[in-house]
Amino acid sequence: MNTLFLHCRPGFEGEVCAEMADLAAQLEVAGYPKSKPGSACAEFVCSEADGAERLMRQTRFHRLIFPRQWARGAFVSLPESDRISVLLEALADYPVCGSLWLEVLDSNEGKELSTFCKKFEAPLRKALIKAGKLVEDAQKPRLLLTFKSGREVFAGIAEAGNGAMWPMGIPRLKFPREAPSRSTLKLEEAWHHFIPREQWDQRLAPGMTAVDLGAAPGGWTWQLVNREIRVTAVDNGPMAESLMYSGFVVHQRADGFTFRPRHPVHWMVCDIVEKPARTAALIETWLGEGLCREAVVNLKLPMKQRYAEVRRLLDRIEAGLAERGLKVSIGCKQLYHDREEVTCHLRRLGK
Ligand SMILES: C[S@@+](CC[C@H](N)C(=O)[O-])C[C@H]1O[C@@H](n2cnc3c(N)ncnc32)[C@H](O)[C@@H]1O
């Protein structure tokens, strides 16, 4: 149980390793990260038996940037037949779990394995229930089985409520046909990730105001309009006509980096592809000058040292806002719909 296994977007294994090494150093958990480029996963191997458990218990999964999913446990080799008996034996020392997820990695092998997992799930579930290892209880840990092949599985657990919201951390969002661009799903995913569902009606309420920087053709604006939020869409490019007919949108052909609203707005969202340091400065200005209450902003990743650079920019934003005496919650995640970028969420706390 001393290994922490983490899923990620293929190509970002190094970022997960850097983030976990940083976290473990902060929490004084001894161990080392390892990964294979392009494998869509990484491991953090702890030196002490309770290392992985301590790492997980002292960290909110939600706060991690690059990992999509996590679990602590061990690899199990599976035979060609009667995999269930071998798994049950390997799980003998695991606690009774409250839910079961069978997962694969976000790779071509993973896609091929998902059919096997679908077939394997029902008989395995039945056997686990019969063996008393699985009960229906949302308070108990989740059993996460990540199949790397039909012969190798990582059998792990994660505390209830401290893991990804969706299997493999991949949201199943339906593309709204009326939305003008696919990036609409990015903003929807950001809301799912950063705003608890029960707070949507209060924090994304009809009648609120928003500025969308780099709005064209309007995928993000569409999400705001869909919640009856009035949007100033800032972009030199054209907005989808259907959105302009909604009556909720004012299009401003202006530079998103110099545009300022006449009155403070509830939301600022920004999807301009720019150097991350420039975007970070923009975030600090909007929150720091009280131009918006909440923001969702895309931060393009640098070419090298991607984790270290993101960390440095987040720390700088945090320090800049603290210097102004402001309390702001800052979150950052590489969402499933993000590629060479991460998404930041900021919310001003207090008055
Ligand atoms: C990735 S696209 C935005 C897509 C949009 N979020 C959507 O969902 O349809 C980036 C946009 O930023 C705009 N852009 C680039 N630099 C800008 C700037 N300095 N000010 C305003 N918009 C800018 C581009 O014209 C482009 O439309």
Side-chain angles (χ1 to χ4, degrees), residues 181 183-184 212 214-220 234-237 254-257 271-273:
S181 69
S183 42
T184 196
D212 182 353
W220 287 27
V234 181
D235 202 305
N236 274 315
D255 179 1
F257 284 91
D271 191 19
I272 300 175
V273 181

Side-chain angles (χ1 to χ4, degrees), residues 180-187 212-223 234-239 243 252-259 269-274 278 298 341:
S181 69
R182 280 209 75 78
S183 42
T184 196
L185 293 179
K186 253 197 251 183
L187 184 58
D212 182 353
L213 302 174
W220 287 27
T221 294
W222 184 90
Q223 289 288 345
V234 181
D235 202 305
N236 274 315
M239 293 294 288
L243 268 178
Q252 290 269 359
R253 290 184 189 275
D255 179 1
F257 284 91
T258 52
F259 175 86
V269 296
C270 175
D271 191 19
I272 300 175
V273 181
E274 238 313 334
R278 195 168 182 219
N298 233 309
E341 67 229 339

Side-chain angles (χ1 to χ4, degrees), residues 6-251:
L6 306 115
H7 294 223
C8 65
R9 168 177 275 281
F12 289 84
E13 300 80 13
E15 279 58 47
V16 174
C17 287
E19 188 172 2
M20 295 319 294
D22 190 16
L23 180 72
Q26 279 172 39
L27 298 175
E28 297 182 0
V29 173
Y32 62 92
K34 63 183 228 189
S35 67
K36 221 165 57 193
S39 62
C41 63
E43 290 163 48
F44 190 83
V45 184
C46 301
S47 315
E48 286 153 84
D50 68 343
E53 180 171 2
R54 280 200 289 131
L55 264 183
M56 289 180 94
R57 286 200 191 273
Q58 293 180 65
T59 308
R60 294 303 303 159
F61 175 76
H62 188 259
R63 305 287 303 168
L64 297 176
I65 301 172
F66 289 98
R68 278 192 190 162
Q69 178 61 294
W70 70 354
R72 65 174 177 279
F75 284 98
V76 180
S77 299
L78 298 173
E80 198 133 351
S81 60
D82 201 12
R83 295 180 175 97
I84 290 182
S85 309
V86 173
L87 254 176
L88 285 179
E89 211 180 298
L91 295 175
D93 295 337
Y94 282 51
V96 176
C97 289
S99 58
L100 167 71
W101 281 2
L102 267 63
E103 305 193 322
V104 292
L105 297 170
D106 188 5
S107 60
N108 290 336
E109 295 86 356
K111 279 185 200 100
E112 284 165 22
L113 271 169
S114 56
T115 318
F116 158 78
C117 284
K118 276 185 202 124
K119 278 197 205 140
F120 190 54
E121 185 174 346
L124 175 65
R125 185 179 290 278
K126 214 167 131 192
L128 287 167
I129 293 171
K130 196 167 159 215
K133 298 304 286 181
L134 183 66
V135 292
E136 229 174 83
D137 184 344
Q139 306 303 315
K140 289 202 178 335
R142 170 165 291 150
L143 179 59
L144 296 131
L145 302 177
T146 302
F147 287 83
K148 287 188 90 177
S149 72
R151 306 293 295 271
E152 191 187 23
V153 63
F154 185 84
I157 56 165
E159 272 64 44
N162 198 17
M165 274 195 277
W166 297 280
M168 296 166 266
I170 300 181
R172 303 274 164 219
L173 301 179
K174 202 163 160 241
F175 176 69
R177 264 190 304 138
E178 324 79 61
S181 69
R182 280 209 75 78
S183 42
T184 196
L185 293 179
K186 253 197 251 183
L187 184 58
E188 190 186 343
E189 185 185 354
W191 285 343
H192 280 287
H193 183 79
F194 294 112
I195 308 179
R197 200 66 175 89
E198 65 278 8
Q199 292 179 21
W200 281 35
D201 285 348
Q202 177 207 335
R203 287 166 62 184
L204 294 163
M208 280 185 160
T209 51
V211 169
D212 182 353
L213 302 174
W220 287 27
T221 294
W222 184 90
Q223 289 288 345
L224 293 156
V225 168
N226 192 41
R227 297 199 62 85
E228 297 181 26
I229 293 172
R230 283 182 284 127
V231 185
T232 302
V234 181
D235 202 305
N236 274 315
M239 293 294 288
E241 274 186 22
S242 53
L243 268 178
M244 300 313 295
Y245 292 139
S246 69
F248 280 94
V249 184
V250 174
H251 184 187

